[in-house]
Amino acid sequence: PLSPASVARMSDDIRVLSQDLIASVRSNGGCDFFTDISQHFPVAIFLKMADLPFSDRHELIAIADKITHDPTPGAHVEGIGELAAYLRPTVAARRFDPGDDLISTIASVEIDGEMPPVEDIIDLVTNIVRGGLDTVVSGLAFIMGYLARNPKEYATLVNGSVSLKSAGEELLRVFGVANLERCAMNDMELHGVQLKRFDRFIIIPALYNVDPD
């Protein structure tokens, strides 16, 4: 579902969706990009890839918002539980009767000839769906905010002086909201920094290629 060929087959649907969203706000002379575009465009595409009902989008967006943005103590854990409960029947159904969607690919996977425990699959699918509902939405909003504040950079995309593919990858790297977390498995020294076993650290892709050394 995430292969270049699979994504290419969706290109016509993605183009139509983007045109419809633009048309819906053009007559207003402007829009709130986050609520009018960003919360709809990537979510609709992701739900199609996961073969989840588009009619459930508002429920799922509300759960994702609770997980990521609700400051109420316990809301994060509660939201993850709600999302896992929503996905559980879908994972169970596609585990032994998969389709060609993203959730089916994960739910029916075998490792060394055996299927992983269903709870592990539900945890993984929950995390991926959460990313599709929030991480991509926020990243797209940050990207468009940057282009809106930097019209010269935007112009290079419009006039073709910069490759859209290369620019897209770089914008996703710089404005992506997901970082990598790693754990030191042994005491070690990394570039002069002493790390103890089980120390955890964050790797921030936005900082790649800015170190002069």
Side-chain angles (χ1 to χ4, degrees), residues 36-58:
D36 295 335
I37 304 292
S38 192
Q39 280 194 328
H40 300 280
F41 182 63
V43 169
I45 295 170
F46 180 80
L47 292 178
K48 184 177 181 63
M49 295 173 67
D51 193 19
L52 293 172
F54 186 65
S55 57
D56 290 350
R57 66 190 185 282
H58 295 300

Side-chain angles (χ1 to χ4, degrees), residues 17-26 30-45 61 136-137 140-141 144:
L17 173 62
S18 64
Q19 291 170 343
D20 288 346
L21 286 172
I22 292 170
S24 70
V25 300
R26 175 173 289 177
C31 69
D32 181 323
F33 184 85
F34 185 80
T35 58
D36 295 335
I37 304 292
S38 192
Q39 280 194 328
H40 300 280
F41 182 63
V43 169
I45 295 170
I61 290 173
V136 182
V137 171
L140 181 60
M144 293 307 295

Side-chain angles (χ1 to χ4, degrees), residues 48-127:
K48 184 177 181 63
M49 295 173 67
D51 193 19
L52 293 172
F54 186 65
S55 57
D56 290 350
R57 66 190 185 282
H58 295 300
E59 175 189 357
L60 292 170
I61 290 173
I63 293 174
D65 186 69
K66 175 187 285 189
I67 294 171
T68 308
H69 305 291
D70 192 332
T72 306
H76 174 82
V77 174
E78 182 179 315
I80 290 177
E82 292 176 5
L83 185 56
Y86 170 89
L87 292 167
R88 188 178 299 276
T90 300
V91 171
R94 299 182 193 179
R95 190 167 169 84
F96 299 103
D97 186 22
D100 59 358
D101 59 279
L102 181 60
I103 293 178
S104 291
T105 300
I106 299 170
S108 60
V109 72
E110 292 186 0
I111 300 176
D112 295 331
E114 296 184 0
M115 301 182 79
V118 66
E119 291 303 319
D120 291 351
I121 296 298
I122 291 172
D123 287 346
L124 179 57
V125 171
T126 298
N127 196 43

Side-chain angles (χ1 to χ4, degrees), residues 142-184:
F142 281 125
I143 288 172
M144 293 307 295
Y146 169 79
L147 293 175
R149 291 190 297 270
N150 295 273
K152 290 183 179 179
E153 299 294 333
Y154 173 72
T156 64
L157 301 180
V158 175
N159 63 31
S161 60
V162 173
S163 163
L164 285 176
K165 181 178 184 297
S166 297
E169 291 177 353
E170 183 66 0
L171 288 167
L172 287 171
R173 178 186 71 81
V174 174
F175 295 105
V177 297
N179 296 310
L180 306 176
E181 183 178 0
R182 292 293 183 265
C183 176

Side-chain angles (χ1 to χ4, degrees), residues 181-188 193-202:
E181 183 178 0
R182 292 293 183 265
C183 176
M185 300 308 296
N186 298 287
D187 292 354
M188 60 181 294
V193 178
Q194 296 293 329
L195 297 174
K196 296 294 185 181
R197 187 184 183 192
F198 300 138
D199 276 355
R200 307 187 76 85
F201 50 95
I202 299 294

